[in-house]
């Protein structure tokens, strides 16, 4: 229950907490850390286990989300319990003896600080949430301070902070007792700029006396900005730090960063003799992970490109690399790197070549903006940055043309016979997918060999399907737009692509609506679904104990679309078949939508009819002298509508292939668990295929998988994913073109809607009321069931051909995408008007105004 800091190196964080673990490691590595000891979490848990502590903790962990009153009540009772429950005599004497050893028999001033198991998260540092006590003297004061540190775990501010950030409701806490540094000057050192993210700058805040004044914000510190070599770029001439001390801090910061392998947030103090002491070092949790480079490089996020705001699992990263290799030649011609770089699950293409090439840059910008605006504007902006000087890369003609007939010649059969062309693609896909099913009865070795043998074909199915019909669907609309130019705008042409048939994502959404409609007709099923939590419904569905109307309806939906999920492009993410909880949450959302105007099938049919009428109206604008152009444009628009549903089809085929391989790999994982080399079958998703084979053979990967899962869960908490990052750690901001009032982005789906905003960060379990406007950082097909009740869509990234905007158009809701900062500048409940034709968001009243 008590460990000397010098002996605690390598102790698990759940025993000593993050702060003590780092201090122990620093002590072992020879950094100047004041002597001390740690009262571990085992001591805290031992004290908490007395009396009513276990019951109170159990009740608190079961409090429903949003019941802040009950949460605060139980936390207050836990705090009172910790402050009053007797400390076991053996533990009390152990703390006293450790303090006496530290003070060498004489009363010595110490610092008593908390070290929680729940702190230093990417979106929740917990800075200042737990108590620290300075200048504590005597064993009685030390015991009281230790108890107060324990109690601070259940303070109102810490409890609210954990609830707001969705962290562990039952954390534990250790306590550090260290000799107090008689500080002449103290403060904080950041080995990278925590505001800009720039890795080439060091920030130091300093003030005379104890460093707690700087950390708590009680004083305005001297502020220094340094180079990594300690040269001052900014700072007061009469501050409390001399140039030599600044250099010393910069040097120790570099060593700490190298030791821990990441930029550090360091608390330090110089005593009266000029000795430097370190009292804390932790990762700067807010910095976004970026690839390292000794020269300026620019990177585009694969995560943003794929419409996901979470890191990839290791297995998912390996699969996406294999998928993207099928596009390598095309991407390289645009200036993308051949390989993808992985930093803690955040995947990047190096785009430096395209940024620096005047010939490639416009093409790269157009490509990335079509998928994840405003990335293209950032590419163009970086092309004007002096850090990325232009380099001649040949003229446009130097990019070798593909040796094939002109595309339009190959598209003619698809335009003439669109249904046959689409059917050909579907037949080809079904033949390929049938080969991915895998053996029903097999050994783990046979299953893994099967996965290894078809992995490449699965990952490249999108590229291997016949493309002419799919391309004809997009090109037909473009050619029609050219024929109508001068009489019809591109935005008007886009309005004819609502209510598109044969799109598997739209069909999925409508199938879910039909399942909800069937449940609505059964009173018992209707009440049960509305009154029962989605996780409970999911458990009953997997057990087969739901009423027939729900059980059968959901089973039929999952049989067709259970291969899908939020962030589904990550192979490692559970599918809806594995965990149907999101499906039940979406059904509950749909059951609250009433009235014919909320019926997506009716809206879809109306959109299709309106699109046909729009085609006639637009093509009639041409004069009689251009009748042949009008008739050709009308033909192309109609045939394009019949083919455009194929835009989402290849991705759906990939998801079916992923689901088939996941089934086989999870069965392999079960065998590895039985051999005690993984803790759970799903841990195979935190390995790659080569490592799965090693685990199946003989190697224990439990620690490796646990460490990677911890990193993945930590990184999943990041609130924002930049689309473009630089090697110095910064995320370039767009040069402002607005007056700071209303917002503007890419006009992605025509129409105008006014309603209350609903900002959603994760669609799983999210609810959107009919008529509300969905505001999100990004979307993928797992989000689209929310479109059924949304009045409009606003996202921070996205392009004209991204999955979310494609489906928004087909559901007939306005969409504006590529709006930087939308999820922070728009608040839930605020009335906004989305003009999907002009690409603008106009602000109305806020939620508070409306009250």
């Amino acid at each position: 229950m008590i460990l000397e800091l010098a002996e605690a190196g390598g102790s698990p964080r759940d025993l000593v907490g993050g702060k003590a673990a780092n201090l122990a490691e620093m002590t072992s590595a020879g950094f100047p850390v004041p002597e001390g000891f740690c009262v571990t979490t085992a001591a805290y848990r031992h004290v908490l286990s007395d009396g009513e502590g276990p019951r109170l903790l159990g009740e608190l962990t079961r409090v429903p989300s949003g019941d802040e009153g009950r949460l605060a009540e139980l936390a207050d009772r836990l705090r009172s319990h910790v402050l009053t429950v007797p400390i076991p005599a053996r533990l009390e004497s152990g703390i006293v003896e450790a303090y006496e050893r530290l003070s060498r028999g004489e009363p010595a001033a110490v610092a008593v600080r908390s070290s929680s198991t729940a702190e230093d998260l990417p979106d929740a540092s917990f800075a200042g949430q737990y108590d620290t006590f300075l200048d504590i003297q005597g064993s009685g004061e030390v015991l009281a301070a230790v108890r107060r540190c324990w109690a601070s775990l259940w303070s109102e501010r810490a409890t609210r902070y954990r609830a707001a950030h969705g962290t562990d409701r039952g954390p534990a806490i250790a306590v550090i007792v260290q000799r107090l540094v008689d500080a002449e000057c103290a403060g904080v050192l950041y080995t990278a700029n925590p505001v800009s993210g720039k890795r080439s700058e060091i920030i130091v805040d300093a003030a005379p006396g104890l460093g707690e004044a700087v950390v708590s914000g009680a004083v305005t510190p001297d502020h220094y900005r340094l180079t990594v070599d300690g040269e001052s770029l900014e700072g007061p001439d009469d501050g409390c730090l001399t140039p030599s001390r600044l250099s010393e801090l910069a040097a120790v910061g570099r060593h700490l960063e190298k030791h821990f392998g990441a930029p550090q947030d360091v608390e330090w103090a110089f005593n009266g003799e000029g000795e430097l002491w370190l009292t804390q070092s932790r990762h700067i949790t807010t910095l976004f992970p970026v690839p390292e480079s000794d020269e300026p490089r620019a990177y585009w996020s694969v995560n943003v490109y794929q419409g996901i705001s979470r890191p990839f699992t290791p297995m998912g990263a390996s699969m996406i690399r294999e998928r993207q290799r099928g596009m390598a030649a095309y991407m390289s011609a645009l200036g993308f790197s051949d390989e993808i770089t992985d930093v803690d699950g955040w995947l990047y293409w190096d785009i430096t070549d395209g940024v620096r090439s005047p010939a490639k840059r416009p093409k790269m910008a157009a490509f990335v903006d079509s998928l994840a605006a405003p990335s293209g504007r950032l590419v163009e902006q970086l092309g004007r940055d002096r850090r990325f000087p232009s380099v001649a890369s040949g003229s446009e003609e130097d990019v070798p043309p593909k040796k094939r007939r002109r595309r339009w010649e190959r598209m003619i059969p698809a335009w003439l016979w669109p249904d046959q062309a689409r059917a050909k693609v579907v037949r080809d896909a079904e033949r390929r997918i049938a080969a991915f099913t895998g053996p029903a009865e097999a050994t783990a070795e046979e299953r893994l060999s099967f996965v290894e043998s078809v992995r490449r074909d699965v990952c490249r199915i999108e590229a291997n399907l016949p493309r002419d019909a799919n391309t004809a669907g997009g090109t037909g609309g473009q050619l029609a737009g050219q024929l109508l130019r001068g009489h019809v705008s591109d935005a008007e042409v886009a309005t004819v692509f609502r209510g598109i048939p044969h799109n598997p994502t739209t069909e999925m959404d409508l199938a879910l609506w039909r399942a909800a409609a069937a449940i609505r007709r059964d009173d018992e099923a209707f009440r049960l679904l509305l009154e029962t939590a989605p996780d409970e419904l999911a458990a009953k569905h997997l057990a087969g104990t739901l009423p027939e109307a729900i059980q059968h309806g959901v089973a039929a939906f999952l049989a067709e679309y259970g291969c899908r999920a939020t962030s589904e492009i990550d192979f490692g993410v559970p599918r809806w078949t594995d965990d149907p909880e999101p499906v039940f949450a979406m059904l509950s959302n749909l059951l609250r939508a009433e009235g014919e105007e909320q019926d997506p099938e009716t809206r879809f049919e109306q959109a299709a009819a309106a699109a046909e009428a729009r085609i006639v109206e637009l093509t009639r604008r041409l004069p009689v002298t251009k009748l042949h152009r009008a008739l050709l444009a009308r033909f192309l628009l109609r045939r394009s509508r019949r083919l455009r549903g194929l835009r989402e089809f290849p991705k759906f085929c990939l998801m079916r292939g992923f689901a088939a391989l996941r089934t086989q790999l999870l069965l392999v994982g079960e065998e590895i668990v039985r051999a005690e080399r993984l803790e759970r079958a799903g841990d195979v998703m935190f390995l790659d295929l080569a490592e799965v084979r090693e685990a199946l053979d003989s190697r224990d990967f439990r620690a490796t998988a646990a460490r990677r899962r911890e990193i993945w869960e930590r990184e999943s908490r990041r609130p924002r994913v930049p689309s473009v990052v630089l090697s110095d750690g910064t995320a370039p901001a767009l040069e402002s073109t607005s007056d700071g009032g209303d917002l503007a982005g890419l006009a992605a789906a025509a129409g105008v809607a006014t309603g209350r905003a609903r900002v959603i960060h994760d669609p799983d379990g999210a609810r959107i009321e009919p008529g509300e406007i969905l505001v999100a950082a990004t979307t993928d097909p797992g989000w689209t069931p929310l479109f059924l009740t949304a009045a409009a869509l606003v996202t921070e990234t996205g392009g004209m051909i991204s999955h979310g905007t494609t489906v928004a158009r087909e559901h007939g809701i306005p969409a504006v995408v590529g709006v930087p900062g939308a999820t922070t500048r728009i608040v839930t409940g605020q009335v906004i008007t989305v003009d999907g034709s002009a690409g603008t968001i106009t602000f109305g009243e806020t939620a508070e105004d409306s009250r």
Side-chain angles (χ1 to χ4, degrees):
M1 294 189 189
I2 299 172
L3 294 171
E4 300 291 334
L5 275 182
E7 300 169 353
S11 297
R13 288 177 180 261
D14 62 358
L15 178 64
V16 298
K19 190 179 300 180
N22 282 1
L23 287 172
E25 187 172 338
M26 292 160 65
T27 300
S28 299
F31 288 98
V33 176
E35 289 181 274
F37 62 91
C38 176
V39 182
T40 70
T41 58
Y44 163 78
R45 289 190 170 102
H46 186 54
V47 170
L48 190 67
S49 67
D50 194 10
E52 63 173 359
R55 180 182 62 80
L56 290 172
L57 184 60
E59 288 185 29
L60 183 140
T61 58
R62 293 191 294 271
V63 172
S65 297
D67 192 349
E68 295 184 3
R70 180 60 174 161
L71 193 65
E73 175 196 346
L74 290 169
D76 186 61
R77 291 172 64 183
L78 272 167
R79 186 171 184 274
S80 298
H81 172 73
V82 172
L83 286 172
T84 56
V85 69
I87 298 177
R90 185 177 175 186
L91 174 58
E92 182 174 303
S93 63
I95 294 172
V96 171
E97 290 169 7
Y99 169 69
E100 290 176 347
R101 286 194 301 273
L102 181 63
S103 60
R104 296 176 177 82
E106 298 181 2
V110 295
V112 181
R113 299 191 292 163
S114 305
S115 179
S116 173
T117 57
E119 58 186 356
D120 298 342
L121 303 174
D123 66 337
S125 67
F126 283 83
Q129 298 303 311
Y130 307 124
D131 287 343
T132 290
F133 302 96
L134 303 178
D135 200 19
I136 301 299
Q137 299 186 41
S139 57
E141 287 191 15
V142 169
L143 286 168
V146 168
R147 186 191 287 273
R148 288 160 68 191
C149 282
W150 287 337
S152 72
L153 188 66
W154 302 109
S155 68
E156 182 180 2
R157 70 172 183 268
T159 303
R160 286 184 178 276
Y161 191 90
R162 285 194 299 271
H165 288 83
T167 59
D168 185 7
R169 287 194 179 179
I173 194 166
V175 180
I176 307 163
V177 181
Q178 285 179 286
R179 276 187 171 274
L180 184 68
V181 177
D182 185 12
E184 178 182 273
C185 181
V188 181
L189 158 74
Y190 299 96
T191 66
N193 191 317
V195 177
S196 69
K198 188 172 289 187
R199 267 53 166 191
S200 59
E201 291 182 354
I202 290 175
I203 301 298
V204 177
D205 282 349
L210 296 174
E212 185 64 19
V214 175
V215 175
S216 66
V219 299
T220 300
D222 298 334
H223 181 77
Y224 302 87
R225 186 165 59 92
L226 314 173
T227 68
V228 291
D229 297 321
E231 297 179 12
S232 184
L233 300 173
E234 175 187 341
D237 295 331
D238 57 350
C240 65
L241 288 174
T242 63
S244 62
R245 287 189 174 181
L246 286 170
S247 296
E248 187 176 356
L249 283 169
V252 78
R254 290 197 306 272
H255 292 146
L256 282 166
E257 182 173 304
K258 182 178 180 180
H259 177 81
F260 285 109
Q264 296 292 294
D265 167 356
V266 185
E267 294 180 22
W268 54 269
F270 282 102
N271 64 16
E273 287 73 45
E275 297 172 315
L276 174 62
W277 294 95
L278 306 177
T279 56
Q280 179 169 313
S281 188
R282 61 187 178 191
H283 288 7
I284 304 176
T285 58
T286 55
L287 295 181
F288 203 86
V290 297
E292 295 182 358
S293 175
D294 294 330
E295 60 182 21
R297 311 293 297 180
Y299 303 93
W300 189 43
S301 168
V302 177
N303 303 64
V304 170
Y305 156 59
Q306 291 296 343
I308 67 173
S309 55
R310 301 172 181 171
F312 278 88
T313 59
M315 186 65 75
S318 70
M319 292 292 186
I320 200 70
R321 279 199 186 95
E322 184 61 50
R323 175 184 185 251
Q324 297 307 134
R325 287 188 187 110
M327 300 171 58
Y330 175 73
M331 300 295 282
S332 179
L334 295 177
F336 291 84
S337 58
D338 290 337
E339 286 296 324
I340 290 172
T341 302
D342 183 350
V343 185
D344 291 343
W346 304 108
L347 308 186
Y348 299 98
W349 269 300
D350 188 325
I351 60 172
T352 312
D353 181 34
V355 166
R356 297 183 64 185
S357 166
K360 295 178 180 179
R361 190 187 311 130
K363 298 177 182 179
M364 172 183 279
F367 174 78
V368 300
D369 245 3
S370 71
L371 292 160
S375 301
R377 289 165 58 194
L378 288 171
V379 168
E380 294 283 11
Q381 186 173 301
L382 287 174
R384 301 188 294 271
D385 192 313
R386 288 181 298 176
R387 291 171 295 178
F388 299 97
S390 293
V391 175
S393 57
S395 66
E396 197 171 317
E397 287 71 26
D398 290 332
V399 179
K402 293 188 176 180
K403 296 180 180 179
R404 60 183 183 181
R405 287 179 294 166
R406 295 181 64 181
R407 287 188 305 167
W408 65 267
E409 293 178 346
R410 295 170 50 141
M411 293 179 221
I412 289 175
W415 288 327
L416 292 174
W417 301 286
D419 295 338
Q420 293 90 326
R422 182 176 53 81
K424 177 184 176 182
V425 177
V426 172
R427 286 195 302 271
D428 186 273
E430 294 299 335
R431 175 182 60 80
R432 294 175 186 275
I433 293 170
F436 303 154
T437 303
E441 300 292 335
T443 65
E445 163 65 32
E446 291 168 340
R447 294 187 192 280
L448 181 55
S449 295
F450 171 77
V451 171
E452 291 169 333
S453 69
V454 301
R455 172 199 179 198
R456 178 187 174 100
D457 290 338
V458 169
C459 292
R460 304 210 183 167
I461 187 172
E462 296 161 292
N464 292 335
L465 288 174
R467 302 182 189 179
D468 296 340
N470 198 337
T471 306
T475 305
Q478 294 170 5
L479 291 177
Q482 294 173 17
L483 291 168
L484 297 172
R485 191 156 295 160
H487 303 274
V488 177
S489 68
D490 290 343
E492 288 176 309
V493 172
T495 63
V496 309
F497 295 113
R498 291 182 170 190
I500 295 290
H502 312 305
N503 182 324
T505 305
T506 307
E507 290 174 343
M508 173 190 76
D509 298 339
L510 296 177
L512 190 65
W513 172 263
R514 286 191 289 271
I519 292 170
R520 188 191 297 275
R521 291 192 291 269
D522 186 307
D523 291 342
E524 178 192 0
F526 180 67
R527 286 195 303 271
L528 179 66
L529 204 144
L530 288 182
E531 296 171 359
T532 309
D535 59 340
E536 186 178 341
L537 289 167
K540 289 182 176 181
H541 172 76
L542 294 173
T545 58
L546 286 172
E548 181 64 20
I550 303 177
Q551 189 74 30
H552 175 74
V554 173
F557 176 80
L558 292 176
E560 187 73 18
Y561 300 107
C563 60
R564 313 217 76 160
T566 305
S567 302
E568 62 185 11
I569 196 65
D570 182 353
F571 182 92
V573 170
R575 310 288 114 170
W576 287 337
T577 297
D578 306 321
D579 178 13
E581 180 182 342
V583 174
F584 284 101
M586 291 184 289
L587 283 170
S588 177
N589 186 56
L590 293 178
L591 287 175
R592 290 176 169 84
E594 297 182 357
E596 185 175 329
E597 72 280 2
Q598 296 299 331
D599 184 335
E601 289 193 295
T602 300
R603 284 164 47 187
F604 188 82
E605 291 168 1
Q606 291 172 345
E612 172 58 29
R614 187 68 163 159
I615 289 173
V616 174
E617 187 265 318
L618 293 178
T619 54
R620 281 180 174 171
R621 291 186 187 177
L622 272 68
V624 175
T625 55
K626 296 182 179 180
L627 181 61
H628 63 291
R629 294 170 68 93
L631 293 176
L632 180 57
R634 188 177 299 181
F635 168 81
L636 288 170
L637 288 173
R638 285 171 171 164
R639 297 310 167 95
S640 181
R641 281 183 52 79
R642 289 165 68 175
L643 293 168
R644 280 213 174 191
L646 287 172
R647 163 71 180 86
E648 296 285 302
F649 184 71
K651 171 86 177 294
F652 181 52
C653 294
L654 178 65
M655 292 308 103
R656 292 174 64 188
F658 273 10
L661 294 201
R662 277 181 54 86
T663 298
Q664 298 297 319
L665 265 185
L666 289 171
L667 290 170
V668 174
E670 291 176 5
E671 180 63 29
I672 298 172
V673 169
R674 284 191 286 270
E676 298 184 344
R677 300 187 197 110
L678 284 176
E679 292 293 341
R680 42 189 163 177
D683 282 351
V684 293
M685 302 306 167
F686 292 90
L687 309 177
D688 59 30
L689 282 181
E691 291 170 328
V692 172
R693 179 158 292 285
E694 288 184 64
L696 190 60
D697 291 341
S698 61
R699 185 176 168 188
D700 189 338
F701 274 92
R702 284 176 291 190
T704 298
R707 183 177 66 256
R708 291 177 182 172
R709 183 183 287 274
E710 181 182 358
I711 291 171
W712 183 82
E713 290 175 349
R714 181 195 72 204
E715 292 300 314
S716 295
R717 300 182 62 82
R718 292 198 179 275
R720 187 154 283 99
V721 185
S723 60
V724 176
V725 296
L726 306 184
S727 53
D728 67 359
T730 59
L734 281 174
E735 297 165 350
S736 178
T737 57
S738 70
D739 58 6
D742 297 332
L743 304 180
L746 177 68
V752 179
T754 298
R756 298 197 180 279
R758 174 76 66 176
V759 180
I760 295 179
H761 299 286
D762 185 346
D764 291 347
R767 178 175 160 187
I768 187 163
E769 297 291 342
E772 289 185 328
I773 293 171
L774 172 59
V775 182
T778 186
T779 62
D780 75 347
W783 286 75
T784 60
L786 294 177
F787 295 7
L788 294 175
T789 52
L793 171 69
V794 177
T795 65
E796 294 182 339
T797 66
M800 290 301 293
I801 63 172
S802 59
H803 300 289
T805 53
T806 298
V807 177
R809 284 193 295 272
E810 293 173 11
H811 280 311
I813 63 173
V816 178
V817 302
V819 184
T823 58
T824 55
R825 297 185 62 183
I826 300 172
V827 297
T828 292
Q830 188 170 30
V831 174
I832 59 175
T833 296
V834 177
D835 188 333
S837 301
T840 60
I841 298 101
T842 306
F843 289 99
E845 63 184 10
T846 64
E848 291 184 359
D849 293 335
S850 68
R851 287 196 289 269

